[in-house]
């Protein structure tokens, strides 16, 4: 799995594999990245789309997978690990970052955001897709949506002790961590990255846990095996409010 393009220093300080592209607040990164990938996957690989909003961190990156779709979807789990690492690097260290399978990111027990994955609709499971799009959304501030106390199920970066103007730093950190994750996958295999993901999944506590070759989580406890399917849970992520297109408050 590779990403390849050139950095746009006018937007962000990104690893050489990425080109940063900003889009207006009226757009969403997931849709914009999919459109660019569908138009020209070869040229678009490595594009990091960032929406110019102050209340949300909304980004998406176009990836060029090098294996069949069924196993390439594990890139989603790498994206979540990179997102966790970025948030953890800038947030209060004592606050736990956990996951609800597969892509809801919880900060200190409240929903902060999550990730999504897209791939070509016509691609067969055993075929190599031309592209993948990993997208992530985090709530930066709930101020414009009224009293945060009325939406205790969710939280925001500005409520959790993150510094001001944290968006760009988080995006840069995410890009660096994503590149490291893919390098680790290529050099050392997937098992270490799977363990890092599972360490943040409370559903795996007390179980012998692993990630299958198709990205499913397999949990064994008390002689019983539970499988958490990846692909069916990527179409419409649980953290996203379909009415607003944003993180559920």
């Amino acid at each position: 799995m590779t990403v390849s393009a050139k950095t746009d220093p006018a937007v962000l300080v990104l690893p050489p594999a990425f080109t940063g592209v900003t889009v207006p607040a009226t757009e969403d990164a997931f849709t914009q990245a999919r459109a660019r990938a569908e138009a020209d996957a070869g040229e678009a690989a490595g594009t990091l789309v960032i929406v110019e909003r102050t209340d949300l961190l909304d980004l998406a990156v176009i990836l060029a997978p090098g294996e069949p779709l069924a196993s390439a979807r594990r890139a989603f789990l790498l994206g979540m690990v990179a997102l966790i690492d970025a948030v953890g690097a800038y947030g209060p260290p004592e606050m736990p970052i956990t996951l609800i399978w597969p892509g809801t990111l919880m900060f200190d027990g409240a929903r902060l955001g999550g990730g999504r994955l897209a791939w070509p609709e016509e691609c067969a499971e055993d075929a190599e897709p031309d592209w993948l799009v990993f997208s992530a959304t985090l709530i930066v501030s709930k101020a414009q949506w009224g009293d945060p106390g009325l939406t205790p199920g969710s939280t925001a970066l500005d409520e959790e002790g993150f510094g001001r103007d944290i968006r760009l730093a988080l995006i840069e950190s995410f890009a660096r961590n994503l590149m490291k994750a893919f390098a680790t996958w290529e050099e050392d295999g997937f098992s270490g990255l799977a363990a890092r993901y599972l360490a943040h999944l409370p559903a795996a506590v007390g179980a012998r846990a692993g990630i299958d070759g198709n990205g499913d989580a397999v949990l064994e406890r008390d002689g019983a095996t539970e499988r958490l399917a990846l692909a069916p849970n990527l179409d419409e992520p649980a953290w996203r409010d379909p009415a607003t297109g944003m993180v559920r408050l």
Side-chain angles (χ1 to χ4, degrees):
M1 181 91 53
T2 60
V3 288
S4 58
K6 295 181 180 180
T7 301
D8 181 354
V11 180
L12 290 166
V13 179
L14 297 172
F18 292 92
T19 296
V21 175
T22 58
V23 298
T26 52
E27 306 291 342
D28 74 89
F30 185 76
T31 301
Q32 284 288 315
R34 284 192 63 172
R36 290 169 182 268
E38 290 169 349
D40 192 337
E43 287 296 321
T47 300
L48 180 63
V49 179
I50 305 136
V51 177
E52 289 283 36
R53 293 184 63 158
T54 57
D55 58 334
L56 291 177
L57 187 158
D58 185 12
L59 63 83
V61 60
I62 302 171
L63 305 171
E67 54 187 270
L69 175 60
S71 59
R73 283 196 192 94
R74 290 179 295 173
F76 174 80
L77 304 178
L78 267 68
M80 293 306 300
V81 168
L83 188 62
I84 288 170
D85 287 348
V87 172
Y90 289 96
E94 70 278 7
M95 295 299 186
I97 303 173
T98 56
L99 295 165
I100 297 176
W101 178 265
T104 301
L105 191 149
M106 308 289 287
F107 192 90
D108 195 24
R111 186 170 45 256
L112 180 62
R116 305 176 69 183
L117 189 75
W119 56 89
E121 293 182 2
E122 71 281 1
C123 186
E125 291 291 303
D126 60 354
E128 184 177 307
D130 292 333
W131 53 268
L132 295 175
V133 167
F134 175 83
S135 176
T137 306
L138 300 176
I139 304 174
V140 175
S141 175
K142 296 197 291 182
Q144 71 182 62
W145 297 318
D147 183 357
L150 299 177
T151 53
S154 62
T155 189
L157 296 174
D158 66 357
E159 296 176 26
E160 298 293 351
F162 287 76
R164 296 181 60 186
D165 302 322
I166 192 63
R167 286 177 60 258
L168 297 186
L170 284 177
I171 293 167
E172 292 173 350
S173 180
F174 166 78
R176 293 192 300 269
N177 286 311
L178 187 61
M179 289 301 300
K180 291 177 183 177
F182 278 117
T184 298
W185 187 358
E186 183 175 354
E187 296 170 7
D188 302 325
F190 195 79
S191 60
L193 294 161
R196 289 175 58 193
Y197 175 91
L198 291 166
H200 294 275
L201 188 70
V205 173
R208 181 180 177 182
I211 300 295
D212 210 346
N214 67 351
D216 293 354
V218 181
L219 312 179
E220 299 178 8
R221 55 163 63 88
D222 300 327
T225 300
E226 179 184 10
R227 179 177 289 269
L228 305 179
L230 177 62
N233 287 292
L234 296 176
D235 290 339
E236 188 53 57
W239 57 265
R240 182 175 178 269
D241 184 344
T244 63
M246 298 187 299
V247 181
R248 293 182 186 274
L249 298 179

